[in-house]
Amino acid sequence: MATVGASSYKNYIAGEWVDAAGGDTFESISPANGDTIGVFPKSSAEDVDRAVEAAKAAYEEWRLVPAPKRGETLFRFAQLLTEEKDELAELMAREMGKVLPEAGGDVQEAIDMSFYMGGEGRRLFGQTTPSELRDKFNMSVRMPIGVVGAITPWNFPIAIPSWKILPALVCGNTVVFKPATDTPLLGQRFVELLTEAGLPKGVLNVVHGGGGEVGERLVRHPDVRVISLTGSRETGVAVLRAAAEGLKHVHLELGGKNAIIVLDDADLDLAVEGIVWSAFGTSGQRCTAASRVIVQRGAYDQLQQKLVAATERLRLWEADTDVGPVINKGALEKIHSYTEIGKGEGARLLTGGEVASGNGLDSGFYYRPTIFGDVDADMRIAQEEIFGPTTALIPVADFDEAIRAVNSVKYGLSSSIFTRDVNKAFRAMRDLNTGITYINAGTIGAEVHLPFGGTKDTGNGHREAGQAALDVFTEWTSIYVDYSGKLQRAQIDTEEHPSP
Ligand code: NAD
C-alpha cells in the first residue's frame, strides 16, 4: 500500500483551482492494490454555494453563445479525449479497477458522446406548425434551463459524466459537477480536458466530496434548476424528496436487476459467451450487468455445465486479466453477504462464492465470479441488486414463464433473449418491460445515439443519451408571431371563428 507522495487536487470553481473552504480532504484509494491515488478536497455547502454562484453568473453569457460554437468545444474535447485515451484508461484501471480494454471502452463512449452532442449544436431541432389564424406563424424552440447539478457514480467514471455534462453544455446550460468519491481523479481529468477544449470560466465547475454534504446541498440549492443523478435507487429516492420543495427537474438513472433469457432453441455457445461478458464484465458492476439467467428446462443442464466451465476459466487481476477488483471493501462485504443469503435461501452455489486471495490479490478487493443454480425467481438473490460478479440461474418451463420472471423485479433497465425463433424474439421485444432489450446478445452494449435508461424503479421516466437527453436539459418555449397588422384574438368565439 503506497500513500507517500500522492498528489493533492482541488475543486474547480469560476475558472480557479481552489481548496475546500474548510480545508478538509479525503483520499482516493485503488481497489486493485490499496494505493492512494490522490488527496481531494472534502467540500461542504459553502463550496457548493460558490460553485453555483459561478455557474449562475456564467450562464448569462454561455446561453447566448451560438449552439454550433458550443458544439465545436465538444468536438475539441472529443479530440483531446482521443489523444489522452490510453492515459485515461490506465488511470481508470488504477483508480476504479476496470480492466484495460473495458477502461478504453469507457473513454471511447465519452468520445462518441462528445461527437454526437457536438453535432447537436447544429440541430437542437424545434418545430414549426400551422396557426389557427391567418397571417400568423407558430414555432416551438428548445431553451436552456440554467444551472445543472450533475452527480455521478464510480462505475463509468468518464462515460457517465459525459452523458450528463455534454448535452447540458451544448443546450446552453452551465454545470456544477460532483464526481463519486471513489473516482475523483477521473472526474478531475474530465474537467481539465473539457476546460482545455475552451470552456469559458464558470461554465463547468467541479466540487469534490460526499453525497451527504456536496450532493445534498447541490440538490437543495435554490439556483440549481436541474439535477441529473446516476446512482442507487435509495439515493434516487432521497434526491427526489430533497428536490421536491424546489420543484426541480430531476433526472434519475438508478439500479438494475437485468436478465438474460435462454430458450431451448438458442445457440448455447453464443449464449454462454453473452452471459459471461454480461455477468462478469466490470466485475458485475455495470448497471446493465446480467445478474439473472432465466433458462428453459430443456437447455438448463447443458447451459449450466458450459457456463460454469467458461466462468472458471476467467483470470482475475493479471497483466491480461478478464475480471478486475470490485470498487471497495464495503462492496466486497455486500457481495459476500449475498452469497450467504443465497445459500440460506436454498440456492445451489455452483462456483465462486468467496473473496479471491493469494497471487498478489490480498491488498485489493477481489471476488471470485459466482454462479448460483436452481434459483427461484422470488429469492432475494434474484430480486435485489448485488452489483458484483454474482449471477443466478433460474429454470423455467416455457417462454411465458421466462417473460414473467424477467418482469417480476422492481427494476427495468436491460434484458435479453437468446432464441432462433423470430416470433418469440418479437414477442419478447413487446413483452419485456425494460428500457433496453437485446436479441441474441448480452445485456450490455448500449450505443450513444439511442435513449438509455429503464422502466419502473430504474428511474423516473427520463432517458439519457440520444435525442432523449435533450428533453432533460432544455425546456420548450412556444412562440406565436402575428404578422397580420391587426389584433387577431385566439381562444375566443368570434364570427370569423365560431365555436364548433
Ligand atoms: P450511489 O447512489 O451510492 O452514489 C451515486 C452518487 O450520488 C455519488 O456521487 C454519491 O456521492 C451521490 N449521493 C449519495 N447520496 C446522495 C444524496 N443524499 N444526495 C445527493 N447525492 C448523493 O451509487 P454508486 O454506488 O456510486 O453507484 C452504483 C449504483 O448506480 C448502482 O445502483 C447502479 O445500478 C447505479 N447505476 C445506474 C446506471 C443507470 O444508468 N441506470 C448507471 C450506472 C450505475
Side-chain angles (χ1 to χ4, degrees), residues 260 274-281 283-285 289-291 293 388-391 443-444:
I260 293 177
I275 295 164
V276 169
W277 169 226
S278 303
F280 305 123
S283 307
Q285 301 171 113
S291 52
V293 182
T390 299
T391 199
T443 48
I444 60 186

Side-chain angles (χ1 to χ4, degrees), residues 164-237:
K164 301 183 185 309
I165 294 170
L166 304 182
L169 292 177
V170 83
C171 290
N173 305 283
T174 55
V175 176
V176 178
F177 169 34
K178 189 205 95 58
T181 46
D182 282 305
T183 50
L185 187 49
L186 289 156
Q188 183 98 1
R189 291 292 293 132
F190 185 94
V191 170
E192 283 170 8
L193 292 174
L194 197 40
T195 302
E196 197 182 324
L199 280 185
K201 290 181 178 179
V203 170
L204 173 62
N205 307 272
V206 65
V207 182
H208 292 287
E213 304 81 35
V214 176
E216 271 263 351
R217 178 59 186 161
L218 204 47
V219 173
R220 289 187 185 274
H221 196 295
D223 289 330
V224 175
R225 292 304 313 150
V226 184
I227 289 290
S228 180
L229 165 93
T230 298
S232 65
R233 181 190 182 280
E234 293 66 33
T235 302
V237 171

Side-chain angles (χ1 to χ4, degrees), residues 320-340:
D320 54 351
T321 191
D322 299 305
V323 181
V326 300
I327 190 67
N328 53 36
K329 192 159 186 287
L332 199 63
E333 287 167 358
K334 178 180 171 191
I335 292 160
H336 190 63
S337 77
Y338 272 96
T339 295
E340 296 304 324

Side-chain angles (χ1 to χ4, degrees), residues 2-236:
T3 47
V4 185
S7 303
S8 290
Y9 298 89
K10 296 175 190 268
N11 291 330
Y12 187 63
I13 298 177
E16 308 289 336
W17 293 100
V18 291
D19 290 320
D24 293 341
T25 58
F26 70 95
E27 292 184 352
S28 171
I29 306 292
S30 171
N33 54 20
D35 280 358
T36 299
I37 300 288
V39 181
F40 292 83
K42 192 172 175 195
S43 311
S44 63
E46 195 180 337
D47 303 295
V48 175
D49 290 357
R50 290 185 49 218
V52 174
E53 195 185 327
K56 191 181 173 192
Y59 175 67
E60 289 312 322
E61 180 50 34
W62 182 246
R63 75 187 176 89
L64 300 177
V65 172
K69 291 274 168 223
R70 297 195 298 250
E72 282 168 22
T73 310
L74 302 197
F75 290 139
R76 284 194 293 277
F77 180 52
Q79 192 58 44
L80 289 171
L81 283 175
T82 307
E83 287 163 19
E84 300 296 318
K85 183 174 171 181
D86 290 347
E87 177 251 326
L88 289 168
E90 194 271 332
L91 174 60
M92 199 179 298
R94 286 197 295 127
E95 188 174 45
M96 186 262 161
K98 212 172 263 200
V99 300
L100 267 180
E102 289 187 36
D106 190 314
V107 179
Q108 187 59 45
E109 214 166 297
I111 295 169
D112 296 344
M113 183 61 88
S114 209
F115 280 124
Y116 181 80
M117 285 299 165
E120 207 47 59
R122 288 193 181 268
R123 291 187 295 266
L124 282 178
F125 293 139
Q127 297 145 352
T128 60
T129 178
S131 169
E132 295 169 1
L133 301 175
R134 282 180 195 214
D135 301 329
K136 194 176 168 194
F137 181 81
N138 294 348
M139 61 185 161
S140 58
V141 293
R142 288 188 182 276
M143 294 291 192
I145 304 176
V147 179
V148 171
I151 305 176
T152 57
W154 45 266
N155 69 334
F156 278 86
I158 295 288
I160 290 183
S162 83
W163 297 354
K164 301 183 185 309
I165 294 170
L166 304 182
L169 292 177
V170 83
C171 290
N173 305 283
T174 55
V175 176
V176 178
F177 169 34
K178 189 205 95 58
T181 46
D182 282 305
T183 50
L185 187 49
L186 289 156
Q188 183 98 1
R189 291 292 293 132
F190 185 94
V191 170
E192 283 170 8
L193 292 174
L194 197 40
T195 302
E196 197 182 324
L199 280 185
K201 290 181 178 179
V203 170
L204 173 62
N205 307 272
V206 65
V207 182
H208 292 287
E213 304 81 35
V214 176
E216 271 263 351
R217 178 59 186 161
L218 204 47
V219 173
R220 289 187 185 274
H221 196 295
D223 289 330
V224 175
R225 292 304 313 150
V226 184
I227 289 290
S228 180
L229 165 93
T230 298
S232 65
R233 181 190 182 280
E234 293 66 33
T235 302

Side-chain angles (χ1 to χ4, degrees), residues 229 231 233 236 240 250-256 410-413 453-463:
L229 165 93
R233 181 190 182 280
L240 207 49
V250 180
H251 159 234
L252 302 173
E253 294 290 341
L254 308 176
K410 63 183 168 198
Y411 300 109
L413 186 53
T455 60
K456 302 192 281 184
D457 286 15
T458 292
N460 60 342
H462 297 285
R463 291 291 184 271

